[in-house]
């Protein structure tokens, strides 16, 4: 029985593409949950507990997102550099988008969460929710790209 790997593609290439798709789709699920459920609930946490809640949120969220974000980034770079039997366009767009996601996270999300550790601030929370839509859309596009690379 032959494997569904095209000529020139190695098993390690297929493994990298699968890990990439898995990590990316994992992050797509997380970002949609955060955008639709988690961030909106920030506004209903009592003022007295909010600062402690936000500090705990930052720590616990790191445990969940870094196991997806780090392999996603490493695989995106690996695909551009070493996986030849995949669309160069998809590979480069995918890498550009993952770098964009890290940038958006660093420029908007991390500072907002840091400021929210001082207590709930409606304007910071609202900006966090609004700017997170860009990350939600970009990760969703990356999810499609990762799947397209598997069938390319």
């Amino acid at each position: 029985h032959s494997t569904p790997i095209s000529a020139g593609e190695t098993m390690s290439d297929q493994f990298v593409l699968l890990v990439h798709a898995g990590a990316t789709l994992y992050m797509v699920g997380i970002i949609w949950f955060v955008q639709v459920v988690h961030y909106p609930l920030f506004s209903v946490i009592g003022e007295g507990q909010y600062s402690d809640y936000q500090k705990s949120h930052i720590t616990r969220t790191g445990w969940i997102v870094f196991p997806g974000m780090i392999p996603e980034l490493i695989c995106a770079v690996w695909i551009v550099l070493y996986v030849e039997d995949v669309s160069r366009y998809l590979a480069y767009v995918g890498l550009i988008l993952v770098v964009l996601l890290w940038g958006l996270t660093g420029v908007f999300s991390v500072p907002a969460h840091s400021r929210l550790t001082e207590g709930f601030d409606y304007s910071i929370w609202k900006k966090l929710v609004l700017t997170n839509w860009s990350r939600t859309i970009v990760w969703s596009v990356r999810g499609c790209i990762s799947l397209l690379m598997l069938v390319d």
Side-chain angles (χ1 to χ4, degrees):
H1 221 231
S2 64
T3 59
I5 298 174
S6 60
E9 186 175 20
T10 67
M11 184 59 86
S12 63
D13 289 347
Q14 188 68 12
F15 177 75
V16 170
L17 292 170
L18 285 169
V19 170
H20 175 252
T24 301
L25 295 172
Y26 171 79
M27 290 307 302
V28 170
I30 287 173
I31 198 71
W32 274 100
F33 172 79
V34 165
Q35 184 63 26
V36 175
V37 177
H38 192 60
Y39 281 175
L41 290 175
F42 278 20
S43 67
V44 298
I45 297 165
E47 187 63 39
Q49 301 101 337
Y50 190 84
S51 183
D52 289 338
Y53 172 84
Q54 187 60 228
K55 290 172 189 170
S56 182
H57 160 82
I58 291 169
T59 301
R60 291 169 184 255
T61 298
W63 298 341
I64 298 300
V65 299
F66 287 122
M69 288 179 74
I70 292 171
E72 179 186 33
L73 175 62
I74 291 168
C75 287
V77 170
W78 188 272
I79 290 165
V80 165
L81 294 177
Y82 301 112
V83 178
E84 296 175 6
D85 198 24
V86 70
S87 162
R88 295 289 82 205
Y89 175 77
L90 291 177
Y92 279 103
V93 170
L95 179 58
I96 290 165
L97 292 179
V98 81
V99 170
L100 175 63
L101 284 165
W102 279 74
L104 290 169
T105 300
V107 170
F108 295 111
S109 302
V110 170
H113 283 289
S114 258
R115 299 245 340 257
L116 288 169
T117 62
E118 300 164 12
F120 184 78
D121 180 308
Y122 180 82
S123 64
I124 294 169
W125 168 76
K126 194 69 173 167
K127 183 177 179 183
L128 176 66
V129 172
L130 289 174
T131 59
N132 198 59
W133 274 114
S134 61
R135 294 188 330 141
T136 304
I137 292 165
V138 173
W139 250 310
S140 298
V141 170
R142 276 203 37 77
C144 294
I145 288 170
S146 73
L147 292 173
L148 287 172
M149 281 196 254
L150 284 175
V151 298
D152 184 35

